[in-house]
Amino acid sequence: RMSRHAQQLRDQDINPCLAETDASRKCMDDNNYDKDMCTAYFLKYRNCRRFWHNIMIQRRRDGVKPEMPTAEERKKMLESME
């Protein structure tokens, strides 16, 4: 059984960077934990976290709840930027 924290990290509404997390982990598994092989994945993850963290801070400032947009909301936000 997963801990509550681990379950939250697997929840798309809480963790906006689930795909990037999984891709990084898979890259590490596939490359015998050679971090140099996975730099691009780490960069994507870091950019994802930074982007959504800034959104969360802005929503907190504006009094918007929930502070982290749901997975559905995030999808719409990203589509509107394309």
Side-chain angles (χ1 to χ4, degrees), residues 1-31:
R1 178 153 158 61
M2 277 197 290
S3 72
R4 186 155 177 252
H5 181 70
Q7 284 176 330
Q8 284 183 332
L9 292 178
R10 300 302 308 163
D11 184 337
Q12 291 220 326
D13 284 333
I14 294 170
N15 182 358
C17 301
L18 199 54
E20 292 79 1
T21 302
D22 291 345
S24 295
R25 193 168 291 137
K26 182 178 180 336
C27 180
M28 289 291 281
D29 287 345
D30 292 350
N31 290 288

